[in-house]
Amino acid sequence: VQLQASGGGLVQAGGSLRLSCAVSRSIFSSDVMGWYRQAPGKQRELVATFTRSGSTMYGDSVKGRFTISRDNAKNTVYLQMNSLKPEDTAVYYCNLRQVYRNYDYWGQGTLVTVSS
């Protein structure tokens, strides 16, 4: 399984970006898709994810500003990021978890830089 993340870039504070994660195969109902990020000098943290029941969950710092969505027909997961802040600057990684064997696939990451 390969994950291709795209859509990162430089944006001013208050702006928006949409990240995309294209999966190389169909997204199965047993897959859990999510977005994580890692800022310089910090650990990787959860940004947003679908749960096994299909609902969504967000990191506290992005609630109300970011939205995760998916288009199964395109095998793609999105992350809409609004009201961006400088502290959102990080490399954003797409994740696919095969729950049945507790295995994670990661995309290559896409850099988001938010200027003040």
Side-chain angles (χ1 to χ4, degrees):
V1 179
Q2 293 184 333
L3 309 178
Q4 182 69 42
S6 62
L10 174 64
V11 64
Q12 289 187 334
S16 298
L17 282 175
R18 189 178 80 156
L19 305 183
S20 299
C21 174
V23 184
S24 61
R25 61 147 173 79
S26 296
I27 302 173
F28 302 144
S29 59
S30 57
D31 297 329
V32 172
M33 300 294 305
W35 287 94
Y36 291 74
R37 69 186 182 187
Q38 188 166 18
K42 295 187 177 181
Q43 290 186 332
R44 192 171 295 189
E45 64 175 358
L46 171 71
V47 177
T49 186
F50 288 98
T51 67
R52 293 189 65 182
S53 65
S55 61
T56 56
M57 186 167 64
Y58 296 90
D60 288 341
S61 62
V62 307
K63 285 179 181 177
R65 299 188 297 123
F66 291 10
T67 302
I68 188 171
S69 63
R70 62 199 292 168
D71 185 336
N72 287 338
K74 296 182 178 180
N75 301 334
T76 300
V77 177
Y78 303 98
L79 183 68
Q80 179 66 43
M81 306 185 296
N82 298 329
S83 302
L84 282 161
K85 304 175 181 180
E87 51 263 44
D88 294 319
T89 295
V91 177
Y92 284 71
Y93 296 92
C94 180
N95 170 265
L96 184 155
R97 174 166 295 173
Q98 288 187 320
V99 176
Y100 76 95
R101 63 180 183 133
N102 196 29
Y103 188 83
D104 287 310
Y105 292 94
W106 294 94
Q108 84 286 6
T110 184
L111 177 62
V112 172
T113 303
V114 184
S115 63
S116 57

